[in-house]
Amino acid sequence: MRRLEKKLFTLNDEIAALRRDEHLAAEELIFHRHLHDDAFRDAVTSDHPLDRAEARETGADVARFERHLEELAQQRHKLETERDRLLAKLG
């Protein structure tokens, strides 16, 4: 098998792995958003310092997962661009 074809197979495997990671991160983000919604609601209704602290923490978790998801999408896009470039060379 030629080197270019091997590189394409490798890129496809990496893209598939990133897609799986994106899916898992998106599911975890949904979970963390639910936790944050509950914590935020508790903080607003109770006005207790511990509830407010928990809401801040869960909000930070949501932001962290959103950044992670965006990073994965950027990595995947970069690999897809490279794959498209190699496919153009192959054709």
Side-chain angles (χ1 to χ4, degrees), residues 18-29 65 69:
L18 282 172
R19 283 187 178 141
R20 284 189 301 272
D21 291 347
E22 279 182 278
H23 175 73
L24 292 175
E27 293 297 319
E28 284 191 62
L29 178 57
F65 270 91
L69 194 56

Side-chain angles (χ1 to χ4, degrees), residues 3-57:
R3 186 170 184 236
L4 183 59
E5 291 166 337
K6 285 183 182 181
K7 178 70 175 172
L8 283 168
F9 282 124
T10 301
L11 281 172
N12 282 333
D13 290 343
E14 291 173 7
I15 290 168
L18 282 172
R19 283 187 178 141
R20 284 189 301 272
D21 291 347
E22 279 182 278
H23 175 73
L24 292 175
E27 293 297 319
E28 284 191 62
L29 178 57
I30 291 168
F31 172 74
H32 284 284
R33 281 183 176 151
H34 284 296
L35 288 178
H36 178 62
D37 288 344
D38 290 343
F40 183 77
R41 184 176 47 253
D42 290 347
V44 169
T45 57
S46 76
D47 200 34
H48 192 276
L50 290 177
D51 289 336
R52 289 193 308 265
E54 185 177 351
R56 281 191 300 273
E57 289 175 17

Side-chain angles (χ1 to χ4, degrees), residues 1 5 7 12 14 18 23 30-31 35 48 53 57-59 62-64 66-67 69 72 75 78 81 83 87 89:
M1 189 179 299
E5 291 166 337
K7 178 70 175 172
N12 282 333
E14 291 173 7
L18 282 172
H23 175 73
I30 291 168
F31 172 74
L35 288 178
H48 192 276
E57 289 175 17
T58 58
V62 168
R64 183 171 45 90
E66 288 172 340
R67 282 191 309 273
L69 194 56
L72 290 172
Q75 290 173 9
K78 182 179 175 182
T81 301
R83 180 190 61 191
L87 282 171
K89 281 177 87 172

